[in-house]
Amino acid sequence: MQPGGTLESRITDADLAIIGGGVGAVAAALAALRHGLRVVLTEEGDRIGGQFTSQGVPPDEHRWIEQFGCTTSYRRYRNAVRDHYRTWYPLTVSARNEPHLNPGLGRVGALCHEPRVSGAVLRALVDPYLSSGRLRILLRARPVAARTEGDRVRSVTVDRADGGLVHIVSPYYLDATELGDLLPLAGVEHVTGFESRHETGEPSAPGEAQPGNMQAFSWVFAVDHQEGENHVIDRPANYDHWSTYRPDYWPGPQIGLTAPDPRTREPLTRTFTPNIRSGPVLADQSQDPGDRELWEFRRAVAREQYEPGFVTSDVTLVNWPMIDYVEGPLIGVSEEDKARHLAGARELSASMLYWLQTEAPRPDGGRGWPGLRLRPDVMDTPDGFAAAPYIRESRRIRAEYTVVEQDVSLAVRGEAGATPYDDTVGVGMYRIDLHPSTGGDNYIDVPSCPFQIPLGALLPVRVRNLLPAGKNIGSTHITNGCYRLHPVEWNIGEAAASLVAYCLGETVEPHDVRRKEGHLRAFQGRLKADGVELAWPEIRGY
């Protein structure tokens, strides 16, 4: 107890401290524990899992995900989600026997499911280590300080919701926060927003750096539809503002069904019809209607997957262009402005829901779907809105190697494929997908090639014992658009923790693993033994 009554404690027996509890954090913890390390993991919110759970975003993945292109541990997570449904839900015989079960039959990906289920699965994966005492999870614990000496972090302090401070002393730290919050606290050199074309040479970069210009974030919510019932929410206080709000590049009010097509930027009017059926999801995603029908796009519960009468309505997750908040970033602003932007994003989403309930056009010529009902149970929250906003962009380390657009762009690389990295620690694939930004930019959505994750992108230019474990690697604003997705973030977290385990076992530093051939090959061998794919097979048509 310090003067003034603040309760303080210390943790000094962890081999690895993971600050943040998102997708990369869980992968990192599992990897470290698998290698025998003692781990402490802190999370600002009330649950682990990040995008999978608190942010309400089922995995965005590439078209080959069922065959290759992810780590064995990520595949174990995916299989566990499916097994959870097979074990506990009254699925139809055909759904139960479908090897690639997609619980919600959503079109955004092959594993659309309830965030609550991801929460249960992730906790089940870590529960044995909690029981053994080798893993400690501190929830509602926000990083507030770091003590450094030279190029090393000596301790990190988290502030718990009960007012207590915990000082964590560990030989290694991973920043797995959604916004890269540990980087400024520890004095780690980093960047935010757009780099300049002069610095990176990227075709899509602006002429001058724009550090405050970042991707929109969104506040996701879950709804079903109960025909003949009225579940209209209270009219949001600023509904008049949001219902007429229109960014310069938007074809009309942002709240509506017309928004830019991400790839062409031309106006595209979607449809929204609760419980509609427009055919099976196509394996060739380039031919699938995708988000043209919004109800199906991120559907997490599909009635036909269950025994008759068990489910009365589908459940869809609203994570659409119409709720992208572009009024300001969450990084580089005052706490007051950050709170204002968070509240604004949530109210934008509430306004979208109110518009759907009261004004959205219906096929019968009417207006509004009053039977739309928030589903708190699906989100595992009190009100059906996600527990936290969906974050697309973080602070990013100044790294020994920074991945640039020219490394992965299909337009630049062509048939040669993405730049190969001798120090690869994993693979990923997604389009360079940048949502509208706080600086007034429209979508940047261009094809990329299947790529590798270079170890150099995980190594800060100076600090020796802190590594990124998520969207905060050495990517640019542009390449963040394809390195930020779920399987890639998982791979990054797993590789970072595996590197720590290797370094502790071999008494070597992370930077030396990359610089010394023998260590690099030995480390890559261990990754492969753990089921981390270091290169893509030969594929065509991406």
Side-chain angles (χ1 to χ4, degrees), residues 195-235:
E195 295 89 346
S196 71
R197 191 180 305 118
H198 173 76
E199 178 183 355
T200 67
E202 295 175 303
S204 301
E208 296 184 2
Q210 300 172 7
N213 190 0
M214 304 174 207
Q215 282 198 74
F217 64 96
S218 307
W219 214 300
V220 181
F221 57 92
V223 290
D224 68 5
H225 183 257
Q226 301 298 315
E227 185 65 43
E229 298 181 9
N230 187 336
H231 296 279
V232 177
I233 63 171
D234 292 339
R235 180 185 173 98

Side-chain angles (χ1 to χ4, degrees), residues 324-519:
D324 282 359
Y325 181 86
V326 297
E327 284 286 86
L330 300 176
I331 298 171
V333 297
S334 67
E335 287 299 314
E336 180 181 2
D337 283 344
K338 181 178 180 180
R340 177 169 58 85
H341 292 320
L342 288 170
R346 190 178 176 91
E347 190 170 51
L348 170 61
S349 292
S351 295
M352 183 70 200
L353 172 59
Y354 185 79
W355 182 86
L356 290 169
Q357 292 174 321
T358 61
E359 298 187 47
R362 300 172 59 113
D364 62 8
R367 291 280 175 177
W369 302 91
L372 286 176
R373 179 179 65 169
L374 285 164
R375 289 292 300 269
D377 52 323
V378 170
M379 282 295 190
D380 194 20
T381 60
D383 54 14
F385 286 85
Y390 171 33
I391 303 297
R392 296 183 176 90
E393 185 167 347
S394 169
R395 299 174 179 90
R396 302 179 300 280
I397 64 167
R398 291 279 187 189
E400 286 208 340
Y401 184 87
T402 299
V403 180
V404 294
E405 183 179 1
Q406 305 91 291
D407 288 350
V408 297
S409 167
L410 180 61
V412 175
R413 298 291 302 177
E415 293 185 0
T419 298
Y421 303 122
D422 185 60
D423 63 342
T424 173
V425 294
V427 298
M429 173 58 183
Y430 208 76
R431 291 174 66 88
I432 297 175
D433 174 15
L434 298 171
H435 281 236
S437 69
T438 58
D441 292 282
N442 204 335
Y443 286 95
I444 298 175
D445 191 319
V446 296
S448 66
C449 307
F451 53 81
Q452 295 172 317
I453 304 167
L455 177 58
L458 275 63
L459 300 175
V461 293
R462 180 183 58 83
V463 176
R464 317 307 290 177
N465 67 332
L466 184 151
L467 301 172
K471 296 181 286 290
N472 50 354
I473 66 167
S475 64
T476 65
H477 175 86
I478 303 294
T479 55
N480 168 70
C482 58
Y483 275 78
R484 66 180 174 84
L485 281 303
H486 304 76
V488 186
E489 183 175 337
W490 185 286
N491 193 326
I492 290 166
E494 183 169 353
S498 298
L499 179 60
V500 169
Y502 180 88
C503 290
L504 289 172
E506 299 296 324
T507 318
V508 63
E509 292 195 343
H511 295 71
D512 289 330
V513 172
R514 181 172 186 250
R515 294 168 186 167
K516 297 180 179 180
E517 177 81 10
H519 280 304

Side-chain angles (χ1 to χ4, degrees), residues 216-217 238-260 321-329 340-341 344-345 347-349 351-352 355 359 436-441:
F217 64 96
N238 292 314
Y239 180 73
D240 288 343
H241 166 73
W242 291 116
S243 64
T244 58
Y245 180 77
R246 178 181 180 180
D248 292 341
Y249 48 83
W250 217 264
Q254 185 170 337
I255 288 183
L257 298 180
T258 302
M322 301 77 176
I323 65 165
D324 282 359
Y325 181 86
V326 297
E327 284 286 86
R340 177 169 58 85
H341 292 320
E347 190 170 51
L348 170 61
S349 292
S351 295
M352 183 70 200
W355 182 86
E359 298 187 47
S437 69
T438 58
D441 292 282

Side-chain angles (χ1 to χ4, degrees), residues 160-183:
R160 305 197 68 172
D162 60 8
L165 297 176
V166 181
H167 308 289
I168 303 170
V169 179
S170 173
Y172 284 96
Y173 300 86
L174 300 186
D175 184 345
T177 62
E178 295 296 330
L179 296 172
D181 290 332
L182 188 54
L183 302 182

